Amino acid sequence: MLMLSDTRTAVTSQVHVHLARHGVHADYGQVLSGRAGAAPLTVAGRAQAGQLARWALRHGVGIIHASPRSRTVETAALVAEALGVEAQRSDALDEIDFGAWNGRAFADLDGDPLWDDWNRQRSVAPTPGGETMAQAVVRAAAHVASLGQGGDAALCVTHCDIIRGVIAHYLGLPLDHILRFDIDPGSVSTIAFGPDGARVIRINEVPA
């Protein structure tokens, strides 16, 4: 039988790694920014970063890592300033390399058979000269796992499909099904690491 003291030990031995999507930027919903240059955060995007900062303060975040893209760096910097810590850049959290699709308007991609195939079969579909979804998930999930071995709660500011892929990895969900859940701008998803492994305990929570 698990005693109360044992319960407290089990809870405190968990390390939470939070995955946050960057705030809204001016190209949001119009362009597959990918690894191309992206517009700065909008007023709404900066407000989302502020809400994320207040959430991080309440949840004891002590480490912030961010994808090197400008939209994630800007979001992470606003959170880090509020927490009084320094955000670290991590290539492992970078956006998927979409190859020739980087910076293309979604309207231009609509109807492209390769693009349609990508959205139907993420487990096997290629990108034109970029990386596969599986390759992106391997690097991101490994980085998240390394943070889960530390002692402090960590916040990873990254991208929609990277977060979807990492969550799918820990849920055992095939990559072909990652479009079955949303990851909104400024949202937080959480993986708890403990002696018994990793568990997804939060998906797409938008801080109030």
Side-chain angles (χ1 to χ4, degrees), residues 43-63:
V43 172
R46 291 178 67 84
Q48 289 166 339
Q51 292 169 330
L52 184 59
R54 290 187 288 276
W55 186 95
L57 278 168
R58 294 194 303 271
H59 287 79
V61 170
I63 298 171

Side-chain angles (χ1 to χ4, degrees), residues 69-124:
R69 297 303 122 191
S70 60
R71 56 198 183 274
T72 44
V73 169
E74 187 179 358
T75 302
L78 291 168
V79 178
E81 182 180 7
L83 269 61
V85 300
E86 184 177 348
Q88 302 177 48
R89 299 189 190 187
S90 171
D91 290 341
L93 297 173
D94 203 351
E95 175 64 288
I96 296 168
D97 183 357
F98 290 104
W101 289 336
N102 287 312
R104 293 278 304 278
F106 287 117
D108 293 338
L109 292 171
D110 188 34
D112 181 332
L114 191 60
W115 174 251
D116 292 342
D117 192 40
W118 165 261
N119 287 299
R120 280 195 306 268
Q121 302 183 81
R122 290 291 181 92
S123 61
V124 295

Side-chain angles (χ1 to χ4, degrees), residues 97-204:
D97 183 357
F98 290 104
W101 289 336
N102 287 312
R104 293 278 304 278
F106 287 117
D108 293 338
L109 292 171
D110 188 34
D112 181 332
L114 191 60
W115 174 251
D116 292 342
D117 192 40
W118 165 261
N119 287 299
R120 280 195 306 268
Q121 302 183 81
R122 290 291 181 92
S123 61
V124 295
T127 56
E131 65 182 337
T132 65
M133 185 79 201
Q135 289 171 327
V137 171
V138 166
R139 60 172 165 80
H143 186 73
V144 168
S146 70
L147 291 173
Q149 303 309 306
D152 294 327
L155 180 73
C156 295
V157 184
T158 182
H159 306 272
C160 178
D161 278 352
I162 295 298
I163 297 173
R164 279 174 166 158
V166 171
I167 290 173
H169 171 79
Y170 283 105
L171 288 178
L173 183 70
L175 292 178
D176 292 346
H177 298 161
I178 66 169
L179 298 184
R180 292 184 178 182
F181 59 91
D182 293 326
I183 298 295
D184 295 319
S187 68
V188 183
S189 301
T190 303
I191 301 169
F193 291 86
D196 297 326
R199 295 182 301 115
V200 177
I201 62 172
R202 176 184 290 109
I203 298 177
N204 199 36

Side-chain angles (χ1 to χ4, degrees), residues 22-31 33 37-46 48 70-71 74:
H22 58 79
V24 169
H25 54 87
D27 292 334
Y28 175 72
Q30 305 298 317
V31 174
S33 298
L41 298 184
T42 62
V43 172
R46 291 178 67 84
Q48 289 166 339
S70 60
R71 56 198 183 274
E74 187 179 358

